[in-house]
Amino acid sequence: GCGNIYCDEVLWKSGVLPTRAISKLSNEETRKIYNNIIDILDKAINSGGSSVANYLLADGKRGNYADYHNVYQKQDTACKKKGCPGIIKKTTFVGRGTHFCPVHQS
């Protein structure tokens, strides 16, 4: 799987709530998720990943993709999607913390 950080970011960018069942996604939503997985993971890899807490690269440097997070660890802040009035929420779903915008993610 993608892991918490990247799942949150992919679903936010795709406009899909993390509580949605895969069987209920449209072909367009599935395509958005697929394309956004590739896009976000590519950007994250090229920036050394998301160094949150004490995660470091092999050379001891921090990855800087955390600077580009739109939703992960952004609870109670304004949604960064242009024109969206939402406030980022955090909840637990299937035993993991997840961040989402209740306005533009459906």
Side-chain angles (χ1 to χ4, degrees):
C2 288
N4 290 10
I5 294 171
Y6 302 113
C7 284
D8 287 356
E9 295 297 320
V10 166
L11 293 175
W12 178 87
K13 188 173 180 183
S14 302
V16 175
L17 279 171
T19 55
R20 295 271 306 279
I22 292 172
S23 62
K24 302 293 183 185
L25 298 177
S26 69
N27 288 339
E28 180 182 341
E29 290 170 320
T30 302
R31 196 170 15 263
K32 280 182 187 178
I33 291 169
Y34 174 81
N35 289 332
N36 287 327
I37 287 169
I38 293 168
D39 180 56
I40 288 172
L41 289 181
D42 184 56
K43 288 176 181 171
I45 290 166
N46 287 327
S47 63
S50 296
S51 290
V52 294
N54 59 353
Y55 301 107
L56 301 174
L57 300 171
D59 63 4
K61 294 180 182 172
R62 297 177 62 80
N64 67 356
Y65 190 71
D67 296 341
Y68 304 101
H69 290 171
N70 290 297
V71 67
Y72 183 75
Q73 291 188 333
K74 304 289 185 184
Q75 62 268 22
D76 302 322
T77 65
C79 181
K80 291 184 178 182
K81 181 176 170 76
K82 187 176 181 177
C84 181
I87 300 295
I88 302 301
K89 302 294 180 200
K90 180 180 180 183
T91 192
T92 302
F93 183 70
V94 192
R96 73 174 195 96
T98 188
H99 304 79
F100 64 97
C101 174
V103 174
H104 87 269
Q105 287 177 259
S106 59

